[in-house]
Amino acid sequence: MLRCFRDDSGLLQTSPQECRQRPASYVKPSNMLESINIQGVGPVSPLSALFASRMNIVTGDNGLGKSFLLDVCFWALTGTWPAGRAAIPRCDVQAANISWVMHSKTRPASRIASYDTQTQSWIRNRGRPPMAGLVVYGNAAGNFAVWDPARNYRRDGKSAGETAESPRAFLFAAEEAADTWNSEVHQRNLFSVHRDIANGLVEYGHVVCNGLIADWTAWYYQNSSKDDSADPFAVLRKVIAVLSHPGERIECAAPERVLLNDSRRFPTVVMPYGSVPYPQWSAGVKRIIHFAYLLVWAWVEHREAARLRSEEPTRRMILLVDEIESHLHPRWQRTILPAILKVAELLAPDLKIQVIATTHSPLVLASLEPGFDEEQDRLFCFNFQPQASPEQAVTFESLPWVNHGDAVGWLTSDVFGLPQARSTEAEVAIEAAEAFARGDCAALPENLQTRDAITRELQRVLGSLDPFWPRWIARVAR
């Protein structure tokens, strides 16, 4: 549990006891989210997470709280709920609160928010919120949220409460027809028109984002700088190349007219099998390019906003990515997370990045083995204990990193917990075969009571080259 105290200035600080509980190898994040504690909300209560400064991987079964944790992290950093609706405390708790610690430019800054049942909202600390840097969140459905410290940061420090956080983060729906992700904000603000990533975002009558279709065309044809680092299209091309499928590199090409009744030119990419315009992109390609575009757009617009404010651009970025492997082929899953760490170098050489990502993929975890550093990376897992009481059925813990070698090793590890990386029928047959070999016939299923029955079932569910066959044949031959 995160324990805090107020210093002489009245600011909430992490307690000395909490500092002593940190691992010896713990490295303070540089202007990043250090920890979060959730009480009375979500499947796990309390939930405490001490994040690493670079890579944080969250695993666990469906419905246990992975996406919820990312939502809470984004809200803590930005004051905006990325789905347009606030988290609601569990009905069996009297009081709920969310506390977190960030490292700002000068010192750790701790904050706490409590849920007000009268207003049905979360009440945050008074005072200026800590500066989080750029925050980009992509959820599993393909929606995105972006928070820019040059445009979304409240600077007056006079108001308190959820309603005082203004302006809110920019929320993007994956598709124009799916623009219900931020429906609650629509209801509160009829002057705000939210559109999708491709077509842009308009708020309060102002064009906040031109969208992928318009920016791709404008960036492609503009020649305002010979410096690739200042050329948005050159940066976008590099980011997409780094994030693309290792066997099917995606090359950015000139925008093309595609539709008879739409005079716009659409983004086009060159794949090994030919050119593909935006309307025909696959789900995997679209999600990765949307992600790449939002990263480049957020950085380009932040630099422009900082210039207009006569400020230095931030050198910090926090990426929250839900189910990074969605729509991706296994070969792509093996490269996507290490590639994300390289993106920061393409945006700016001194940009520091912290990633909090959820995954169901053993290949994603296997891909991290060569570069996982326990001083700056961490692995978390949600677990379900069916025999426990309802309030203790779901647990959340930080796991020590262990290299398991391959996807099968990860599937049968504590992270995923499968007894065997096979079909359920093959698992039952092999367990019956092993019980038979031990002489434990009482444990045999009704249809697998004899050696011949077990052999026939193994022939049905296992391949001829399955490594279990030599073991079974050796036991049968005894």
Side-chain angles (χ1 to χ4, degrees):
M1 181 184 300
L2 184 67
R3 291 178 291 277
C4 300
F5 69 99
R6 293 192 182 276
D7 61 15
D8 295 337
S9 65
L11 291 175
L12 199 66
Q13 301 294 343
T14 306
S15 71
Q17 293 89 345
E18 180 69 24
C19 294
R20 287 197 293 269
Q21 290 183 357
R22 292 170 180 160
S25 61
Y26 179 75
V27 177
K28 286 185 177 180
S30 174
N31 300 297
M32 298 297 183
L33 182 62
E34 177 183 335
S35 62
I36 197 161
N37 180 269
I38 306 171
Q39 296 270 2
V41 193
V44 182
S45 181
L47 184 153
S48 296
L50 183 64
F51 295 114
S53 59
R54 185 178 67 165
M55 181 73 69
N56 298 272
I57 308 301
V58 183
T59 64
D61 208 340
N62 297 92
L64 299 187
K66 298 187 302 299
S67 300
F68 168 75
L69 176 60
L70 294 188
D71 285 357
V72 173
C73 287
F74 187 83
W75 172 78
L77 292 166
T78 70
T80 301
W81 289 101
R85 57 186 181 276
I88 300 176
R90 290 160 39 168
C91 59
D92 59 340
V93 300
Q94 296 298 319
N97 61 75
I98 300 171
S99 56
W100 61 99
V101 178
M102 277 191 55
H103 276 265
S104 60
K105 292 183 178 180
T106 56
R107 62 174 179 172
S110 301
R111 293 291 185 269
I112 188 168
S114 58
Y115 189 77
D116 182 7
T117 57
Q118 296 298 313
T119 62
Q120 297 286 289
S121 63
W122 290 90
I123 307 301
R124 298 159 66 97
N125 288 106
R126 289 183 178 274
R128 184 177 300 165
M131 180 75 78
L134 272 171
V135 185
V136 179
Y137 177 23
N139 78 353
N143 305 307
F144 285 86
V146 176
W147 193 87
D148 183 343
R151 291 185 291 172
N152 304 117
Y153 186 59
R154 176 167 58 84
R155 288 168 166 77
D156 56 33
K158 297 178 181 179
S159 303
E162 172 81 2
T163 57
E165 302 294 343
S166 63
R168 296 175 179 271
F170 304 131
L171 305 183
F172 296 84
E175 303 288 347
E176 190 170 17
D179 193 14
T180 58
W181 195 40
N182 194 27
S183 58
E184 184 174 319
V185 176
H186 275 289
Q187 295 171 8
R188 289 198 303 263
N189 175 23
L190 298 178
F191 296 99
S192 179
V193 179
H194 290 255
R195 292 186 288 165
D196 61 299
I197 298 170
N199 295 293
L201 177 62
V202 179
E203 290 187 338
Y204 304 98
H206 301 290
V207 180
V208 175
C209 174
N210 294 316
L212 173 62
I213 295 173
D215 276 339
W216 186 291
T217 300
W219 292 352
Y220 182 84
Y221 288 111
Q222 77 177 29
N223 295 301
S224 59
S225 174
K226 297 181 180 179
D227 179 10
D228 279 357
S229 65
D231 182 347
F233 195 80
V235 176
L236 179 64
R237 178 186 287 118
K238 292 177 182 178
V239 171
I240 290 176
V242 166
L243 296 178
S244 64
H245 190 296
E248 299 177 4
R249 291 294 179 186
I250 302 172
E251 297 289 340
C252 300
E256 296 181 0
R257 173 75 182 268
V258 178
L259 302 176
L260 179 64
N261 297 322
D262 193 327
S263 62
R264 293 177 298 173
R265 293 180 178 271
F266 286 88
T268 302
V269 296
V270 178
M271 308 291 285
Y273 45 81
S275 297
V276 185
Y278 177 82
Q280 279 78 49
W281 289 353
S282 68
V285 169
K286 185 175 291 186
R287 191 188 190 213
I288 293 301
I289 295 183
H290 280 181
F291 184 46
Y293 164 70
L294 260 298
L295 289 177
V296 176
W297 171 82
W299 179 245
V300 169
E301 289 298 316
H302 169 71
R303 287 194 314 181
E304 283 298 302
R307 179 183 64 81
L308 292 173
R309 287 186 175 274
S310 300
E311 300 174 351
E312 286 295 320
T314 185
R315 287 297 181 261
R316 307 177 303 281
M317 177 181 285
I318 299 178
L319 297 182
L320 307 173
V321 190
D322 195 17
E323 296 184 20
I324 185 62
E325 71 278 3
S326 293
H327 306 301
L328 302 187
H329 187 276
R331 282 188 293 176
W332 207 341
Q333 293 180 23
R334 291 197 309 179
T335 62
I336 187 60
L337 209 45
I340 286 177
L341 292 177
K342 300 177 183 178
V343 168
E345 302 174 6
L346 301 176
L347 299 178
D350 57 347
L351 184 64
K352 302 298 182 183
I353 187 171
Q354 182 187 36
V355 178
I356 305 176
T358 70
T359 184
H360 291 291
S361 171
L363 282 171
V364 168
L365 293 173
S367 72
L368 298 177
E369 290 188 353
F372 194 91
D373 182 352
E374 291 187 85
E375 292 191 351
Q376 54 182 344
D377 304 320
R378 191 151 297 149
L379 173 65
F380 299 93
C381 186
F382 284 91
N383 287 302
F384 176 63
Q385 308 293 336
Q387 306 303 323
S389 60
E391 62 274 10
Q392 297 178 334
V394 182
T395 61
F396 178 80
E397 59 182 332
S398 175
L399 298 179
W401 181 265
V402 177
N403 287 352
H404 294 285
D406 58 16
V408 172
W410 279 102
L411 284 172
T412 55
S413 70
D414 291 339
V415 175
F416 293 101
L418 293 180
Q420 298 184 34
R422 306 172 185 271
S423 68
T424 54
E425 293 86 352
E427 182 180 310
V428 170
I430 288 176
E431 289 180 352
E434 291 176 337
F436 182 88
R438 295 192 306 267
D440 186 8
C441 295
L444 295 176
E446 184 177 348
N447 64 324
L448 299 175
Q449 295 284 326
T450 66
R451 179 182 61 187
D452 290 343
I454 293 173
T455 300
R456 287 194 299 270
E457 182 66 3
L458 291 173
Q459 290 172 338
R460 186 180 76 87
V461 298
L462 297 185
S464 59
L465 299 179
D466 193 284
F468 182 74
W469 277 119
R471 294 164 55 192
W472 174 243
I473 292 171
R475 289 171 178 175
V476 170
R478 292 176 185 173

